[in-house]
Amino acid sequence: MVNITYDACKISSPAGSIIYTDDSGTQTIYQNGDIAWTLAGTALVFIMIPGLGYFYSGLLRRKNALSMIYMSVMTIAVVSFQWFFWGYSLAFSETGSAYIGNLKYFGMKGVAAAPSIGSARIPALVFAVYQLMFAAITPMLALGAVSERGRLGPCIAFVFIWSTLVYDPIACWTWNSNGWSFVLGGLDFAGGSPVHISSGSAALAISIYLGKRRGYGTERLAYKPHNTSYVILGTVLLWFGWFGFNGGSALSANLRAAMACVVTNLAASVGGLTWMLWDYRIERKWSAVGFCSGAIAGLVAITPGSGFVGAPAAVLFGVMAGTICNFATQLKFVFGYDDTLDIFASHAVGGVVGNVLTGLFAQASVAGFDGITIIPGGWLDHHYIQLGYQLADSVAALSYSFVMTTIILWLMHFIPFLRMRGSEDAEIVGLDEYDMGEFAYDYVGLEQEIGHDIETKMSEGMTTGGREPHHEHHHNVDENSLEKGLGSPA
Amino acid sequence: MVNITYDASGSIVWQDPDTGKIFVYNPGDIAWTLASTALVFIMIPGLGYFYSGLLRRKNALSMIYLSVMTIAVVSFQWFFWGFSLTFSETGSAFIGDLRYFGLKGVLEKPSIGSARIPSIVFCIYQLMFAAITPMLAIGGFADRAHLGPLLAFVFAWSTLVYDPIACWTWNSNGWSFAHGSYDFAGGTPVHISSGSAALAISIYLGKRRGYGTEALAYKPHNTTFVVLGTVFLWFGWFGFNGKRTSFLGPELALNITGTKGGSALSANLRAAQASIVTNLAASVGGLTWMLWDYRIERKWSAVGFCSGAIAGLVAITPGSGFVGSPAAVLFGFMAGTICNFATQLKFVFGYDDSLDVFASHAIGGIVGNILTALFAQASVAGFDGFTVIPGGWLDRHWIQLAWHVADSCAGVSYSFTMTTIILWIMHYIPGLRIRVPEGVEIIGIDESDMGEFAYDYVAMEPELKGVSYVSSVVRRESDPESLMKERHSSASGSNH
């Protein structure tokens, strides 16, 4: 039996608060409301992950639609196991180093009623399951970069390894009270560095390692989301869950959580409108995909600052993210990498924008909304060195994630069945057919993919999943008529 | 540092420096309110999918987009002045003031809705109500409105229609609140106002091209979207109705020692009861409407079920904290019946309310208001342990019906009139005119205003079939007169 009791009904206190007594006799009281909000936050962050899957899926071509949705739930599964196995311990053990935890909580042994390292207002077990969802969403953010040209089998191993070697250390630096960034005084409420900068950098590393998709630069790959309603559905699930992501990071149902919800919603709204307005000038159209991208950029930027900034600052976070991330999508053309889903632009650049703005606009008064937290604040509090801490944080996460992800990918490259790059034929046929044997829909037209000028290399032993292995394609297809979706291939 | 402390059990304690009064905030109340905030949030895209599924494929994306656009615009408007205009304690009986402009000062003081939660929690929760209401009205724009001007419309309408009506109903200075109307979660501010606005919009915009012909016969392009949207709405409605329990009626004394009726946990009985009646009304409403439709074609209509569920949810909204479970069954049955037949009003009166927003929300809201007056019970309101009301007809408090009728009439007329005024003012400002020309209606809002479709395959041939002049129509979209001349002289004889 865990060593807790319940207090008696007292005037001006709720009956049934949990009282935990540790070995030395010190008592900690846990408010049920705090636990309730954190557990609700757990479910909210959970649903962001399939939301990501739908968001990414809608932006790709139909033949790869299912792979992204599948990867989101696969990631939840792999990280849930990894977190239980050693992930929580490596990130949040109180007895580790400044860079990584230890295996004290291997298999979640001993994680129970003691106050968590994140906040003494909730027990460690609640904190562990809540943090699990953060650990689960981060690799999925990065995995968007394998879109259309990765191999799904090695992705499973990649998620496990990347979580252990990249996410857990960076989370430890940021949120573990021993972590060097935490000790230094970097302000990161809900994960600018561990979640967004790390995954954005990793996505860049993956994009560079995998190289460009087949047909890159041609009309075939011109920006063409196959299902914009999925893009919006994914954005909606992300935005919905973000109330738990930022609001729940208060680890308590208090004023700071409420303020985090306010600034989160405001940054998303303004970010969406800003990006959409920037896109309006190009074609005089109101772009839903632009709105969604901007909303997500705003959410990314406000993430580190959500427990530190006021509502007017949140408006600026939205404007800056919606603007800078919009233009950052052009970086891939400048530097020549194929970041299909603009993850580096939204998450790495967005995370850096958020970290920097947090350094400027963090206020001790807002952090103190929980009645407990005391910080020196940011530039508004004349604490100018804060920007330095934020930059240190950002640069460390950017570089560590990029380098370590590249190392992981190349190690996997030389292990026979773990190579991440899909073959050209896999790209032609699509990941859904090639790796999954299932499609997202009952109609996925492949004729226009297969029957055109670039010859299918049958001689390299390609199989089409056992279907018609000697089928030859004689289609003389009019590319233009197919692009418009009119008529049928000859 | 905000001036709060924690008591021995961990509840937040704030002392008013002017009066010395002590307020205790229970984290459980705050947790449920924040969770409900997220729940109401997701109702808004749910609405977008619901509306989208009922329209044609070429306009599918616009409705979904409008739902997230509305969240964004109202979130900014609420921060800017919306919360202040609605909920400032120092305003008039009709509208607040700008005391909380930019949410300045909105933090730890007890909210005007309930002394059990701080005002910042109340603010973010109420924001979601403010955000969903214009989206309900936007259903009236279906198929024939330019998207750019709607950004301005949402901002203006929220400020001039929603904020005042919400003030009357929920601000303790509001005239409707003061005379004792029971509107638990927004029959008037949310449903009646938006339904009436949708009617005004439908009348202003006129009928869609092809109205009355086979081309526009009721034909939802994606019924799974309709169900998905209904599901998000029903899911979120637990937060919409279920949360309001903490909001106290005018008779509430700020009794913060919580000794009435035992521990604070008993206050949540009202939230639980609200959840029960909400779910029951939705269920019975859905089955009722679907059964009424069954008699027509001997088919089980999913769209009928969804419409009925939503009608039931709309009707139970004002009464959810006041009525018992048996009454909720009646709410569902009445809403499922009356709103079903109310969809015929548009044929009787000749307006094109494509999505039946007036039938579901305005009529549904009125049905709910009236039934609340009949079936509200002081005993149910007292489930939170401190609310005291005279009750409705079941408690022999006959005048309650009059208050609710007054409330409903005020909501219908004010919203209809003000919405019409807003639309006509926008009509005369260049760039803000909403009505699209015929050519844009033909190719669809998604293509013309967004440059994106909801799907990668949106067949345009059925739309363009027989319309031989379409390319010239598109070029001439800014010149409707010449377009009409060309159409009459063309021999295409299309029925579009």
Side-chain angles (χ1 to χ4, degrees):
Chain A
M1 180 75 72
V2 70
N3 189 10
I4 62 166
T5 56
Y6 286 86
D7 64 6
C9 176
K10 299 194 287 251
I11 288 181
S12 83
S13 87
S17 292
I18 299 171
I19 304 179
Y20 166 74
T21 312
D22 73 8
D23 298 333
S24 64
T26 316
Q27 289 200 327
T28 313
I29 298 183
Y30 299 124
Q31 261 282 353
N32 297 347
D34 291 340
I35 295 176
W37 177 230
T38 311
L39 291 179
T42 302
L44 285 169
V45 181
F46 169 91
I47 206 160
M48 289 169 71
I49 310 170
L52 243 191
Y54 279 97
F55 178 76
Y56 284 162
S57 171
L59 290 170
L60 299 178
R61 287 172 292 182
R62 195 173 261 253
K63 63 185 180 179
N64 298 307
L66 188 61
S67 60
M68 275 296 152
I69 310 173
Y70 153 76
M71 274 204 273
S72 68
V73 286
M74 178 276 284
T75 305
I76 297 174
V78 173
V79 176
S80 295
F81 178 77
Q82 185 266 4
W83 193 248
F84 148 82
F85 191 74
W86 56 20
Y88 173 74
S89 190
L90 290 173
F92 288 110
S93 164
E94 299 91 344
T95 46
S97 78
Y99 301 98
I100 192 75
N102 57 18
L103 290 178
K104 174 179 177 184
Y105 296 120
F106 177 83
M108 302 270 275
K109 182 168 126 57
V111 179
S116 77
I117 196 172
S119 164
R121 288 185 68 82
I122 54 170
L125 188 60
V126 174
F127 182 71
V129 72
Y130 178 66
Q131 283 295 330
L132 158 60
M133 299 304 166
F134 284 67
I137 195 171
T138 309
M140 181 55 205
L141 285 163
L143 271 188
V146 311
S147 52
E148 304 200 329
R149 59 206 193 283
R151 285 174 64 211
L152 299 185
C155 284
I156 302 176
F158 176 82
V159 169
F160 190 97
I161 299 169
W162 191 89
S163 280
T164 306
L165 296 179
V166 181
Y167 178 79
D168 294 342
I170 302 182
C172 178
W173 307 344
T174 311
W175 289 320
N176 190 319
S177 46
N178 297 328
W180 68 263
S181 176
F182 186 93
V183 168
L184 181 67
L187 298 175
D188 193 338
F189 195 60
S193 296
V195 177
H196 298 295
I197 293 181
S198 73
S199 59
S201 276
L204 178 64
I206 295 171
S207 303
I208 292 173
Y209 163 79
L210 289 179
K212 297 187 174 69
R213 287 167 294 162
R214 179 177 184 275
Y216 186 79
T218 68
E219 181 59 27
R220 284 255 131 238
L221 277 185
Y223 158 72
K224 231 172 17 186
H226 91 278
N227 191 334
T228 320
S229 69
Y230 271 13
V231 175
I232 301 188
L233 178 69
T235 304
V236 158
L237 291 175
L238 284 166
W239 192 332
F240 170 70
W242 228 293
F243 288 102
F245 197 92
N246 289 355
S249 288
L251 301 175
S252 175
N254 58 21
L255 303 177
R256 200 172 180 199
M259 184 50 117
C261 290
V262 170
V263 298
T264 298
N265 190 58
L266 209 42
S269 303
V270 175
L273 293 169
T274 304
W275 187 310
M276 186 178 70
L277 283 162
W278 279 112
D279 280 357
Y280 183 77
R281 82 192 191 291
I282 301 180
E283 272 191 60
R284 293 279 182 269
K285 302 272 188 216
W286 302 103
S287 167
V289 174
F291 180 91
C292 293
S293 306
I296 289 173
L299 288 162
V300 168
I302 197 63
T303 295
S306 46
F308 300 108
V309 304
V315 175
L316 185 67
F317 271 70
V319 171
M320 295 306 291
T323 304
I324 295 179
C325 294
N326 186 333
F327 289 103
T329 60
Q330 305 301 306
L331 285 173
K332 60 186 188 287
F333 300 123
V334 171
F335 290 109
Y337 57 86
D338 183 10
D339 183 9
T340 325
L341 298 166
D342 284 316
I343 304 170
F344 183 77
S346 302
H347 292 271
V349 174
V352 172
V353 167
N355 272 355
V356 167
L357 288 176
T358 302
L360 303 182
F361 293 98
Q363 293 181 272
S365 55
V366 177
F369 278 5
D370 57 7
I372 303 172
T373 304
I374 299 178
I375 57 166
W379 280 28
L380 289 185
D381 292 324
H382 305 295
H383 184 239
Y384 300 111
I385 193 63
Q386 190 61 44
L387 182 59
Y389 300 152
Q390 304 297 102
L391 285 171
D393 205 16
S394 309
V395 169
L398 267 172
S399 41
Y400 177 74
S401 176
F402 185 88
V403 169
M404 188 53 90
T405 306
T406 305
I407 291 173
I408 294 172
L409 289 166
W410 280 105
L411 283 173
M412 288 171 68
H413 186 90
F414 293 110
I415 300 172
F417 47 87
L418 285 187
R419 192 172 290 191
M420 289 278 277
R421 208 347 168 147
S423 65
E424 183 178 16
D425 305 320
E427 271 196 79
I428 295 171
V429 169
L431 292 181
D432 293 2
E433 170 63 28
Y434 203 81
D435 277 1
M436 298 186 70
E438 292 171 344
F439 285 118
Y441 315 93
D442 57 350
Y443 180 75
V444 178
L446 282 183
E447 297 89 350
Q448 58 259 50
E449 307 289 343
I450 296 176
H452 62 77
D453 284 335
I454 305 174
E455 284 297 316
T456 305
K457 293 186 174 53
M458 302 298 279
S459 58
E460 284 185 4
M462 167 201 170
T463 61
T464 54
R467 269 187 316 119
E468 301 177 65
H470 298 296
H471 182 91
E472 284 174 329
H473 303 275
H474 297 295
H475 302 155
N476 249 346
V477 171
D478 176 359
E479 187 106 350
N480 289 332
S481 74
L482 283 178
E483 288 297 330
K484 292 196 208 88
L486 299 168
S488 55
Chain B
M1 178 76 70
V2 69
N3 191 13
I4 58 168
T5 56
Y6 288 89
D7 66 10
S9 72
S11 295
I12 299 170
V13 179
W14 179 72
Q15 182 169 31
D16 189 340
D18 300 323
T19 64
K21 201 172 230 183
I22 293 178
F23 296 91
V24 180
Y25 303 128
N26 188 318
D29 282 347
I30 294 177
W32 179 225
T33 311
L34 292 179
S36 295
T37 301
L39 286 171
V40 181
F41 169 89
I42 207 164
M43 289 170 69
I44 311 170
L47 243 190
Y49 280 96
F50 178 76
Y51 283 163
S52 171
L54 290 170
L55 298 177
R56 287 169 291 182
R57 193 175 262 254
K58 64 184 182 181
N59 297 312
L61 187 62
S62 58
M63 271 297 154
I64 314 174
Y65 154 76
L66 283 170
S67 67
V68 285
M69 179 276 279
T70 305
I71 298 174
V73 172
V74 176
S75 294
F76 180 77
Q77 184 266 3
W78 194 248
F79 149 81
F80 190 73
W81 57 19
F83 176 74
S84 192
L85 289 175
T86 309
F87 287 112
S88 164
E89 297 91 345
T90 46
S92 77
F94 300 99
I95 192 74
D97 56 19
L98 289 177
R99 177 178 174 183
Y100 295 122
F101 177 84
L103 295 187
K104 184 166 126 55
V106 177
L107 188 59
E108 76 282 18
K109 298 190 184 49
S111 77
I112 196 171
S114 162
R116 292 183 64 85
I117 55 170
S119 58
I120 190 165
V121 176
F122 181 71
C123 170
I124 185 69
Y125 176 66
Q126 282 295 329
L127 158 60
M128 298 304 165
F129 283 68
I132 196 171
T133 308
M135 182 55 203
L136 287 164
I138 278 182
F141 287 113
D143 280 3
R144 54 207 195 285
H146 272 308
L147 301 183
L150 290 188
L151 289 162
F153 176 84
V154 169
F155 192 96
W157 192 88
S158 281
T159 306
L160 296 174
V161 181
Y162 178 79
D163 293 345
I165 301 182
C167 178
W168 310 342
T169 310
W170 288 322
N171 191 320
S172 47
N173 297 328
W175 65 265
S176 176
F177 184 94
H179 72 221
S181 251
Y182 310 143
D183 191 338
F184 201 58
T188 305
V190 177
H191 298 295
I192 291 180
S193 74
S194 60
S196 297
L199 177 64
I201 292 166
S202 305
I203 292 172
Y204 163 77
L205 288 179
K207 298 188 175 64
R208 286 167 294 163
R209 180 178 183 276
Y211 186 79
T213 67
E214 180 59 30
L216 273 186
Y218 157 71
K219 227 170 21 184
H221 91 278
N222 190 336
T223 321
T224 60
F225 271 12
V226 176
V227 177
L228 179 71
T230 304
V231 159
F232 277 9
L233 284 166
W234 193 332
F235 171 70
W237 228 293
F238 288 102
F240 199 91
N241 289 355
K243 175 61 207 86
R244 303 293 314 219
T245 184
S246 284
F247 300 154
L248 316 172
E251 296 78 5
L252 175 75
L254 295 177
N255 185 344
I256 40 72
T257 57
T259 51
K260 232 189 265 195
S263 72
L265 283 177
S266 68
N268 291 336
L269 295 181
R270 202 173 180 200
Q273 178 65 22
S275 298
I276 291 174
V277 298
T278 298
N279 192 57
L280 209 44
S283 306
V284 175
L287 293 169
T288 303
W289 187 309
M290 187 179 69
L291 283 162
W292 279 113
D293 279 359
Y294 183 79
R295 80 188 192 293
I296 301 178
E297 273 191 60
R298 293 279 183 273
K299 303 276 187 212
W300 303 104
S301 165
V303 176
F305 180 89
C306 292
S307 307
I310 289 173
L313 288 163
V314 169
I316 196 64
T317 295
S320 46
F322 299 104
V323 304
S325 307
V329 175
L330 186 67
F331 271 70
F333 178 78
M334 295 305 292
T337 304
I338 296 178
C339 294
N340 186 333
F341 288 103
T343 60
Q344 305 301 305
L345 284 173
K346 60 186 188 289
F347 301 123
V348 171
F349 290 108
Y351 58 87
D352 182 10
D353 182 9
S354 353
L355 298 166
D356 283 314
V357 184
F358 183 77
S360 302
H361 292 272
I363 304 288
I366 293 172
V367 167
N369 273 354
I370 291 175
L371 289 177
T372 301
L374 303 182
F375 294 98
Q377 294 182 272
S379 55
V380 177
F383 276 14
D384 56 10
F386 43 71
T387 301
V388 176
I389 58 167
W393 280 27
L394 290 185
D395 292 323
R396 310 223 188 319
H397 187 237
W398 315 110
I399 194 65
Q400 194 63 36
L401 180 61
W403 293 132
H404 285 213
V405 171
D407 211 16
S408 308
C409 288
V412 170
S413 42
Y414 179 75
S415 175
F416 185 89
T417 310
M418 188 54 90
T419 306
T420 304
I421 291 173
I422 293 172
L423 291 167
W424 279 103
I425 291 178
M426 287 174 71
H427 187 90
Y428 289 109
I429 300 175
L432 286 188
R433 189 173 292 192
I434 294 177
R435 198 16 162 131
V436 301
E438 185 179 15
V440 171
E441 260 202 84
I442 295 172
I443 60 174
I445 306 291
D446 291 2
E447 171 64 30
S448 100
D449 275 18
M450 299 187 71
E452 293 168 345
F453 283 118
Y455 318 94
D456 54 352
Y457 183 71
V458 177
M460 293 298 281
E461 297 92 343
E463 309 289 343
L464 303 177
K465 193 167 47 162
V467 180
S468 59
Y469 56 88
V470 68
S471 58
S472 59
V473 161
V474 170
R475 277 200 301 276
R476 282 191 175 71
E477 64 173 279
S478 56
D479 185 10
E481 270 76 31
S482 81
L483 168 61
M484 294 309 292
K485 273 205 292 257
E486 196 173 40
R487 182 185 184 187
H488 286 305
S489 68
S490 139
S492 54
S494 115
N495 62 357
H496 283 274

